[in-house]
Coordinates of all heavy atoms in Angstrom, one line a residue:
P145 N 46.4 -28.7 35.5 CA 47.3 -29.8 35.9 C 47.9 -30.5 34.7 O 47.2 -30.7 33.6 CB 46.5 -30.7 36.7 CG 45.1 -30.6 36.2 CD 45.0 -29.1 35.8
V146 N 49.2 -30.8 34.7 CA 49.9 -31.5 33.5 C 49.4 -32.9 33.4 O 49.5 -33.6 34.4 CB 51.4 -31.3 33.7 CG1 52.1 -32.0 32.5 CG2 51.8 -29.8 33.8
R147 N 49.1 -33.3 32.3 CA 48.7 -34.7 32.1 C 49.9 -35.7 32.1 O 50.9 -35.4 31.4 CB 47.9 -34.9 30.7 CG 47.3 -36.3 30.5 CD 46.4 -36.2 29.3 NE 47.0 -35.7 28.1 CZ 47.6 -36.5 27.2 NH1 47.5 -37.9 27.4 NH2 48.2 -36.0 26.1
T148 N 49.8 -36.8 32.8 CA 50.9 -37.8 32.7 C 50.3 -39.1 32.3 O 49.1 -39.3 32.0 CB 51.4 -37.9 34.2 OG1 50.4 -38.5 35.0 CG2 51.8 -36.6 34.8
L149 N 51.2 -40.1 32.2 CA 50.7 -41.5 31.8 C 49.8 -42.1 32.9 O 49.1 -43.1 32.6 CB 51.9 -42.3 31.5 CG 52.7 -42.1 30.3 CD1 53.8 -43.1 30.1 CD2 51.8 -42.0 29.0
A150 N 49.8 -41.5 34.1 CA 49.0 -42.1 35.2 C 47.5 -41.8 34.9 O 46.6 -42.3 35.7 CB 49.5 -41.5 36.5
G151 N 47.2 -40.9 34.0 CA 45.8 -40.6 33.7 C 45.3 -39.4 34.4 O 46.1 -38.6 35.0
N152 N 44.0 -39.1 34.3 CA 43.4 -37.9 34.8 C 42.5 -38.2 36.0 O 41.5 -38.8 35.9 CB 42.7 -37.1 33.7 CG 42.0 -35.9 34.2 OD1 42.5 -35.3 35.2 ND2 41.0 -35.4 33.5
K153 N 43.0 -37.9 37.2 CA 42.2 -38.1 38.4 C 42.2 -36.8 39.2 O 43.1 -36.6 40.0 CB 42.7 -39.3 39.3 CG 42.7 -40.6 38.5 CD 43.3 -41.7 39.4 CE 43.3 -43.0 38.8 NZ 43.8 -44.1 39.7
P154 N 41.2 -35.9 39.0 CA 41.3 -34.6 39.6 C 41.3 -34.8 41.2 O 40.6 -35.5 41.8 CB 39.9 -34.0 39.2 CG 39.6 -34.7 37.9 CD 40.1 -36.1 38.1
G155 N 42.3 -34.0 41.7 CA 42.4 -34.0 43.2 C 43.2 -35.2 43.7 O 43.6 -35.2 44.9
K156 N 43.4 -36.3 42.9 CA 44.2 -37.4 43.4 C 45.5 -37.6 42.7 O 46.5 -37.9 43.3 CB 43.3 -38.7 43.2 CG 42.0 -38.7 44.0 CD 41.3 -39.9 43.8 CE 40.0 -39.9 44.7 NZ 39.2 -41.2 44.5
V157 N 45.5 -37.5 41.4 CA 46.7 -37.7 40.5 C 46.9 -36.4 39.6 O 46.4 -36.4 38.5 CB 46.7 -38.9 39.7 CG1 48.0 -39.1 38.9 CG2 46.4 -40.1 40.5
E158 N 47.5 -35.4 40.3 CA 47.6 -34.1 39.6 C 49.0 -33.6 39.7 O 49.6 -33.7 40.8 CB 46.7 -33.0 40.1 CG 45.2 -33.3 39.7 CD 44.3 -32.1 40.1 OE1 44.8 -31.2 40.8 OE2 43.1 -32.0 39.8
L159 N 49.6 -33.2 38.6 CA 51.0 -32.6 38.5 C 50.9 -31.2 38.0 O 50.4 -30.9 37.0 CB 51.8 -33.5 37.6 CG 53.3 -33.3 37.6 CD1 53.9 -33.8 38.9 CD2 54.0 -33.9 36.5
N160 N 51.4 -30.3 38.9 CA 51.4 -28.9 38.6 C 52.9 -28.4 38.4 O 53.8 -28.7 39.3 CB 50.7 -28.1 39.7 CG 49.3 -28.4 39.8 OD1 48.5 -28.1 38.9 ND2 48.8 -29.2 40.8
V161 N 53.1 -27.7 37.4 CA 54.4 -27.2 37.0 C 54.4 -25.7 36.9 O 53.6 -25.2 36.3 CB 54.9 -27.8 35.6 CG1 56.3 -27.3 35.3 CG2 55.0 -29.4 35.8
I162 N 55.3 -25.1 37.6 CA 55.5 -23.6 37.5 C 56.9 -23.3 37.1 O 57.9 -23.8 37.7 CB 55.2 -23.0 38.9 CG1 53.8 -23.3 39.3 CG2 55.4 -21.5 38.8 CD1 53.4 -22.7 40.7
S163 N 57.1 -22.6 36.0 CA 58.4 -22.2 35.5 C 58.6 -20.7 35.6 O 57.7 -19.9 35.1 CB 58.6 -22.7 34.1 OG 59.9 -22.3 33.5
Y164 N 59.7 -20.3 36.1 CA 59.9 -18.9 36.3 C 61.5 -18.6 36.3 O 62.2 -19.2 37.1 CB 59.3 -18.3 37.6 CG 59.5 -16.8 37.8 CD1 58.7 -15.9 37.1 CD2 60.4 -16.4 38.8 CE1 58.9 -14.6 37.3 CE2 60.5 -15.0 39.0 CZ 59.8 -14.1 38.2 OH 60.0 -12.8 38.4
N165 N 61.9 -17.7 35.4 CA 63.3 -17.4 35.3 C 64.2 -18.6 35.2 O 65.3 -18.7 35.8 CB 63.7 -16.5 36.5 CG 63.1 -15.1 36.4 OD1 62.8 -14.6 35.3 ND2 63.1 -14.4 37.5
G166 N 63.8 -19.6 34.4 CA 64.6 -20.8 34.2 C 64.5 -21.8 35.3 O 65.1 -22.9 35.2
N167 N 63.8 -21.5 36.4 CA 63.6 -22.5 37.5 C 62.3 -23.2 37.3 O 61.3 -22.5 37.0 CB 63.7 -21.8 38.9 CG 65.0 -21.2 39.1 OD1 66.0 -21.7 38.8 ND2 65.0 -20.0 39.7
V168 N 62.3 -24.5 37.4 CA 61.1 -25.3 37.2 C 60.7 -26.0 38.5 O 61.4 -26.8 39.0 CB 61.2 -26.4 36.1 CG1 60.0 -27.1 35.9 CG2 61.7 -25.7 34.8
N169 N 59.5 -25.6 39.1 CA 59.0 -26.2 40.3 C 57.9 -27.2 40.0 O 57.0 -26.8 39.1 CB 58.6 -25.1 41.3 CG 59.7 -24.2 41.7 OD1 60.8 -24.6 41.9 ND2 59.3 -22.9 41.8
I170 N 57.9 -28.3 40.7 CA 56.9 -29.3 40.4 C 56.2 -29.6 41.8 O 56.8 -29.8 42.8 CB 57.4 -30.6 39.9 CG1 58.2 -30.2 38.5 CG2 56.4 -31.6 39.6 CD1 58.9 -31.4 37.9
S171 N 54.8 -29.8 41.7 CA 54.0 -30.0 42.9 C 53.0 -31.1 42.6 O 52.4 -31.1 41.5 CB 53.4 -28.8 43.5 OG 52.6 -29.1 44.6
T172 N 52.9 -32.1 43.5 CA 51.8 -33.1 43.4 C 50.7 -32.8 44.4 O 49.7 -33.6 44.4 CB 52.4 -34.5 43.7 OG1 52.7 -34.6 45.1 CG2 53.7 -34.7 42.9
G173 N 50.8 -31.8 45.1 CA 49.8 -31.5 46.2 C 50.3 -32.0 47.6 O 49.9 -31.5 48.6
Q174 N 51.2 -33.0 47.5 CA 51.8 -33.6 48.8 C 53.3 -33.3 48.7 O 54.0 -33.3 49.8 CB 51.5 -35.0 49.0 CG 50.0 -35.3 49.2 CD 49.5 -34.8 50.5 OE1 50.3 -34.6 51.4 NE2 48.2 -34.6 50.7
V175 N 53.9 -33.3 47.5 CA 55.4 -33.3 47.4 C 55.7 -32.1 46.5 O 55.1 -31.8 45.5 CB 55.9 -34.6 46.7 CG1 57.4 -34.5 46.5 CG2 55.6 -35.8 47.6
N176 N 56.7 -31.3 46.9 CA 57.1 -30.1 46.1 C 58.6 -30.4 45.9 O 59.4 -30.7 46.8 CB 57.0 -28.8 46.9 CG 55.4 -28.6 47.2 OD1 54.6 -28.7 46.3 ND2 55.2 -28.2 48.5
T177 N 59.1 -30.2 44.6 CA 60.4 -30.4 44.2 C 60.7 -29.5 43.0 O 59.9 -28.8 42.5 CB 60.8 -31.9 44.0 OG1 62.2 -32.0 43.8 CG2 60.1 -32.3 42.7
T178 N 62.0 -29.6 42.5 CA 62.4 -28.9 41.4 C 63.1 -29.7 40.4 O 63.6 -30.8 40.7 CB 63.4 -27.7 41.8 OG1 64.5 -28.3 42.5 CG2 62.7 -26.8 42.8
V179 N 63.2 -29.3 39.1 CA 64.0 -29.9 38.1 C 65.4 -29.5 38.3 O 65.7 -28.2 38.1 CB 63.5 -29.6 36.7 CG1 64.5 -30.1 35.6 CG2 62.1 -30.1 36.5
S180 N 66.4 -30.4 38.6 CA 67.7 -30.0 39.0 C 68.7 -30.1 37.9 O 69.9 -29.8 38.0 CB 68.2 -30.7 40.2 OG 68.1 -32.1 40.0
G181 N 68.3 -30.7 36.7 CA 69.3 -30.9 35.6 C 68.7 -31.7 34.5 O 67.6 -32.3 34.5
V182 N 69.3 -31.6 33.3 CA 69.0 -32.3 32.1 C 69.9 -33.5 32.0 O 71.1 -33.4 32.0 CB 69.1 -31.4 30.9 CG1 68.7 -32.2 29.6 CG2 68.3 -30.1 31.0
I183 N 69.3 -34.7 31.8 CA 70.0 -35.9 31.7 C 70.2 -36.2 30.2 O 71.3 -36.6 29.8 CB 69.3 -37.1 32.4 CG1 69.2 -36.8 33.9 CG2 70.1 -38.3 32.2 CD1 68.3 -37.8 34.6
Y184 N 69.2 -36.1 29.4 CA 69.2 -36.4 28.0 C 68.1 -35.6 27.3 O 67.0 -35.5 27.8 CB 69.1 -37.9 27.8 CG 69.0 -38.4 26.4 CD1 70.2 -38.6 25.6 CD2 67.8 -38.5 25.7 CE1 70.2 -39.0 24.3 CE2 67.8 -38.9 24.3 CZ 69.0 -39.1 23.6 OH 69.0 -39.5 22.3
T185 N 68.4 -35.3 26.0 CA 67.4 -34.7 25.2 C 67.7 -34.9 23.8 O 68.9 -34.9 23.3 CB 67.2 -33.2 25.5 OG1 66.1 -32.7 24.7 CG2 68.4 -32.4 25.2
D186 N 66.6 -35.2 23.0 CA 66.7 -35.1 21.5 C 65.4 -34.6 21.0 O 64.7 -33.9 21.7 CB 67.1 -36.5 20.9 CG 66.1 -37.6 21.3 OD1 64.9 -37.3 21.6 OD2 66.4 -38.8 21.3

Side-chain angles (χ1 to χ4, degrees):
V146 178
R147 184 170 59 94
T148 68
L149 290 183
N152 182 22
K153 297 180 181 179
K156 296 182 178 180
V157 182
E158 288 187 355
L159 191 69
N160 294 288
V161 177
I162 299 176
S163 178
Y164 181 74
N165 287 340
N167 298 320
V168 181
N169 299 322
I170 301 176
S171 175
T172 69
Q174 296 288 342
V175 177
N176 298 315
T177 187
T178 59
V179 174
S180 57
V182 180
I183 301 173
Y184 176 86
T185 182
D186 59 23

